[in-house]
Each structure stands twice: as structure tokens, then as C-alpha cells.
Amino acid sequence: MVNNNNMENLNLKLGTAKIDITPKHPIPLAGFAHRQGNFEDVIHPLHARILLFKQTEADGTRQNVLIVSADLIWWGSERIPVLKERLQREFGFTFSSMLFHATHNHSGPQTSGRFTPSLGPLDFRYVVEALEERIIDGVRSALQNLESVRIDRGTGYCGFSINRRKVVEGEMTMAPNPDGPSDPEVTVLRFVRETGSTKALLVHYACHATTTGDNFVSSEFPGIAMDYLEDKIGGTTVAAYLQGYCGDVRPALIRDGAFYRGDDQEVCRLGQTLGDEVLRVMQSQMEALQTSRIISQTLTVDLPLQNLPTRSELKTKSAEGGIYAEWAEILMKHPERIHSSVPLEMTWVHLAEGLSLLTANAEMVVSYGLFIKDKFARRILPVGYTNGMIGYVPTARQIDEGGYESKDSVLYFGQPAPFDPLVEERICTEIQRLAERKDETCR
């Protein structure tokens, strides 16, 4: 922990920005194979919300952390290094201090060219011109309104998420499973100016943003909730969403025992439900967190795969058509992707006493998030969909069970093979090691 004698020297400043990243011309949306062609209309604009933290100690030492939360399905792994290098050159950020987070919105554009066309084709012009250039502008804007803040923390409950893995007639299917794990906890982080007003919010929750599959641009329930909070609080407050580890959790829209996709009315209902819970938490007794040195570290965990396909096997699959052909053609075109392991990148960011984020460039299933919360008494919040995307990361049990998250999704993400069950042990071991290093670093 930081020495209390130096606490007065650890003033935390925060700059914010909210920028429009809505596509300016019709392009395909990402996330659902059933959609065809370009989007039909814009129902709710897309935004990226920027929180830029700066801290200067008495000896002149400076730390900073940049959090960008965007109404996107994910950030493309191939573009993150390019964007980080530019921000490093222009603003001096270190690579580990930049978090590009996506709310996992399935009603926005594709941002990666690494996956099968069924997940949505990439419009490169959108990524470079409408997204990355706007982010740079937003960072410049955030630097112009830095203010000293303190951090309050509160916890609530939102019950519209449910596990989506269920064995039906001996097969693992995507069906409502109220007995499966989920995480209904809502964590609210309020950044308070010296005047007592709210400069920004971070809202952490874990649920797929897949309320609707309509072919319209929408910020889905996370974006609706953040817009709602900004409107209710007023002023220049920026409310940003942090998506938890929700790989096997989705909205509980259930009819006759099966999931259904809702429309915009359902999207708005869920968004307001989450927003109202955040407002309730803010009106309750929130905990003021003690100032601490902000720190960021990144680690990479190599996740082993099962048996890799041969070129002959890929040619056979290519002839089958459909998603198997898309998968096989990606790997034949990019044989460098046929490796025995996949790198999982996790970034730990420490913001205050008892408050850290642990991000992953993957769709981590909820059990990993519950492990982190339980292991560290909720001092660390698990945040997925950050700094790129490798695909789903299931548990050892889920790998044995099969199903979409552990087997079928491999095809859509162009992964050469399913994960080996050893991945769970490796991830949990590295998280434990990180925690031990963290305790030393924070002293």
C-alpha cells in the first residue's frame, strides 16, 4: 500500500470526453450471422466515452491511465498496436496504461478482419476514419478538462442476466439455465469533483449486449443506460460502461422456455432498468475510496490448443461450404495462425485503495469473473472485451461439455482448434501470481 505520509501528494485528476462514433454511411453490422447487407437505419447513435486519469507526485513522477469505453462489439486486435503507438507518440501513454474497451454491442459495426464473414465483414474506412481519428480527437478534448476527483464506490443488483448453457437431451445447447452461474452484481464508481458534483461514472455489469438482432444501429442496453444516466445527472457528466466476463451470460428474454430476440422497446427497458439501479446506488451510502498510486501492468498467458488441423483436413472442410468453409479458408490463407497456443492478454490497472481492474482481450465466461471477485474480495473488477479479441475462453468443464462457447465459436473466430482443458489452470495460476506481484508493487 502507498505510505500514508505521501497520500497528500497523490492527487488524482480526471479528464473526460464523449464522442460520436456512429457510421456515417451504411455498412454491415457485426455479431449475428443471420443479418444480410448494410444496416437499415440508426435507432440510437454509438459513442465512445473517454476517461483520462493523471497523477503527479511531489518528486515529479507521473502516472496516467486511459480508459475508452465504446459501443462496439470489440476492438480489432490487429489495430490496437497501431492506435496505441500513435497515442504513445502524441501523448506519452505507456502501452499498459491504455484500455480500449467495448461494451460487446451486437448492433454496431465490425472492427476486425480476423474473423469469418458470418460475424460481419470489416469496413476498414470506418475503423480508421470514423473510429480511430475520433478517438484521438477525444483524448485531446479530455486533456483540456482535467479536474481533481475522489472516487466513491457502491454496489447494487440487476437481475435480467441468465446463464445460456444448458444440457437438453444429452446435448449442450444455448438455452436459459437459471441454475447456471451468472453475476447480477452492479458496481458503481463515482468520480466526484471538489465541488461535490459528479464528473464521471464507471458502471460494471456482466451481460451480453444481445437484446435485439434487428438490422439497425443501436448502442444496446449498455449505451441506453449510460445515456439515461447522463441525462438524469445532467451537466457534463460522462457515464461509461464496463462489461464484465459475460461469455456465457445473456439477457433473460425467455418465451416458452427458450430465448427470443427483442426489439428496441426491450433494449430501452433493460437499459433503463440498469440505469435506475445505478441511480439507486448513488442515492445510498457509497464508500469513499482512499487515494492510491495509479499503476498498470500487462501479462500474457499462452493458452494451449487441442490437435491442430492439417492442410488436407482444411481442404476437406473448405469443400463443405458454410461456416466450415469460411473457417478453413481463413486458416489456409493465414497459416501463421495455426499455432499450438493463443496469447491471452490481461492488463491490471490499480486506481485506488481496494479498486483495480483486470481486463482481458477475450470473451471470458462468467466463472472466471466470479473467481476473481471471490479471490480478491471484490477489490478487483473483471473486465472483458479490452485491447483486442481472441474469442471465447471457457472453463475446463465447459471444454469437456462442448457447446458454442467451447467448440462451435472456434469456427467463427478463425481459431485453429478448441482450447485444451489446461487453460483454466493456467489462467487462475497467473491471476494468483499477478495478485502477489500487485501486493508488492502497491507498497
Side-chain angles (χ1 to χ4, degrees):
M1 285 187 263
V2 175
N3 189 316
N4 286 333
N5 293 330
N6 296 328
M7 224 33 105
E8 66 273 11
N9 298 324
L10 294 173
N11 180 41
L12 182 65
K13 290 189 175 182
L14 171 63
T16 60
K18 177 183 177 180
I19 60 175
D20 192 319
I21 57 170
T22 310
K24 302 306 179 186
H25 59 281
I27 59 177
L29 301 181
F32 293 121
H34 71 264
R35 289 191 181 122
Q36 299 295 318
N38 297 332
F39 68 79
E40 299 172 29
D41 200 358
V42 176
I43 303 298
H44 300 286
L46 308 182
H47 293 96
R49 293 166 166 94
I50 296 172
L51 277 66
L52 195 164
F53 298 93
K54 278 191 170 289
Q55 193 175 68
T56 303
E57 298 186 45
D59 62 1
T61 303
R62 296 180 180 181
Q63 295 89 24
N64 55 58
V65 166
L66 175 67
I67 299 177
V68 180
S69 175
D71 296 327
L72 299 171
I73 191 166
W74 43 60
W75 293 81
S77 295
E78 66 270 39
R79 294 299 301 176
I80 286 295
V82 177
L83 186 54
K84 284 191 172 187
E85 284 173 7
R86 182 171 175 186
L87 286 163
Q88 184 181 53
R89 287 196 311 270
E90 294 194 25
F91 306 107
F93 296 109
T94 64
F95 267 51
S96 67
S97 69
M98 292 180 273
L99 303 181
F100 290 93
H101 176 70
T103 65
H104 201 40
N105 171 29
H106 283 55
S107 294
Q110 178 62 269
T111 60
S112 176
R114 291 177 54 84
F115 310 135
T116 61
S118 291
L119 280 183
L122 172 68
D123 186 298
F124 189 73
R125 176 184 166 194
Y126 167 79
V127 171
V128 174
E129 296 180 4
L131 182 57
E132 294 178 1
E133 288 298 326
R134 296 290 290 125
I135 294 298
I136 300 297
D137 291 341
V139 172
R140 292 193 186 103
S141 178
L143 282 168
Q144 300 305 310
N145 64 77
L146 290 166
E147 298 178 274
S148 296
V149 293
R150 72 165 196 270
I151 307 176
D152 291 345
R153 174 176 177 156
T155 304
Y157 174 92
C158 192
F160 63 66
S161 63
I162 191 170
N163 192 277
R164 68 183 194 184
R165 289 175 57 86
K166 185 176 182 179
V167 176
V168 178
E169 297 180 355
E171 295 286 333
M172 180 58 68
T173 63
M174 193 174 288
N177 182 5
D179 297 323
S182 63
D183 184 4
E185 189 172 66
V186 179
T187 300
V188 182
L189 304 174
R190 179 178 180 239
F191 300 91
V192 187
R193 299 181 179 94
E194 293 176 348
T195 61
S197 63
T198 301
K199 180 160 180 84
L201 295 174
L202 281 175
V203 178
H204 180 270
Y205 185 57
C207 182
H208 255 74
T210 54
T211 315
T212 181
D214 293 341
N215 199 20
F216 300 109
V217 172
S218 170
S219 56
E220 256 281 349
F221 81 79
I224 297 299
M226 300 306 102
D227 287 339
Y228 178 72
L229 289 167
E230 290 165 349
D231 181 64
K232 288 291 185 181
I233 297 170
T236 59
T237 298
V238 172
Y241 183 87
L242 294 178
Q243 185 66 269
Y245 291 2
C246 68
D248 50 353
V249 175
R250 64 182 275 182
L253 301 182
I254 303 168
R255 184 183 297 132
D256 298 326
F259 287 120
Y260 71 89
R261 299 288 179 201
D263 55 17
D264 185 57
Q265 183 176 355
E266 296 278 17
V267 172
C268 292
R269 179 178 65 82
L270 296 187
Q272 185 171 338
T273 297
L274 177 59
D276 283 338
E277 178 61 7
V278 172
L279 292 174
R280 188 197 67 77
V281 171
M282 292 177 64
Q283 292 164 3
S284 65
Q285 186 68 34
M286 299 184 75
E287 175 191 7
L289 300 182
Q290 189 176 31
T291 304
S292 180
R293 182 177 295 114
I294 58 175
I295 309 167
S296 58
Q297 298 176 355
T298 296
L299 71 151
T300 300
V301 187
D302 283 327
L303 304 183
L305 300 177
Q306 297 180 32
N307 296 332
L308 299 176
T310 65
R311 187 164 184 84
S312 175
E313 290 170 336
L314 291 175
K315 286 183 177 179
T316 299
K317 288 297 183 182
S318 180
E320 292 185 15
I323 187 61
Y324 282 101
E326 292 183 15
W327 168 75
E329 287 164 11
I330 284 178
L331 295 177
M332 287 191 293
K333 185 177 180 180
H334 299 281
E336 71 278 4
R337 295 179 62 170
I338 305 177
H339 280 292
S340 59
S341 65
V342 174
L344 172 69
E345 181 183 290
M346 306 187 82
T347 300
W348 169 69
V349 172
H350 182 71
L351 291 175
E353 287 296 310
L355 174 60
S356 300
L357 310 178
L358 185 58
T359 73
N361 63 336
E363 297 210 45
M364 307 292 290
V365 296
V366 72
S367 292
Y368 288 112
L370 295 173
F371 168 79
I372 290 168
K373 284 187 171 184
D374 290 343
K375 186 74 175 176
F376 305 109
R378 288 164 170 72
R379 298 189 307 275
I380 298 180
L381 294 177
V383 180
Y385 310 95
T386 303
N387 290 342
M389 175 52 58
I390 62 172
Y392 283 89
V393 177
T395 63
R397 177 177 176 177
Q398 289 174 337
I399 292 169
D400 291 337
E401 293 172 336
Y404 180 76
E405 295 81 4
S406 55
K407 183 179 179 182
D408 300 339
S409 68
V410 167
L411 303 174
Y412 292 92
F413 285 96
Q415 186 174 305
F419 285 114
D420 186 284
L422 288 172
V423 297
E424 181 175 355
E425 180 182 352
R426 287 200 179 182
I427 292 168
C428 293
T429 297
E430 286 302 320
I431 290 173
Q432 178 61 41
R433 288 176 180 169
L434 176 66
E436 293 168 356
R437 292 199 300 271
K438 171 189 76 69
D439 288 341
E440 291 298 322
T441 304
C442 288
R443 289 195 177 102

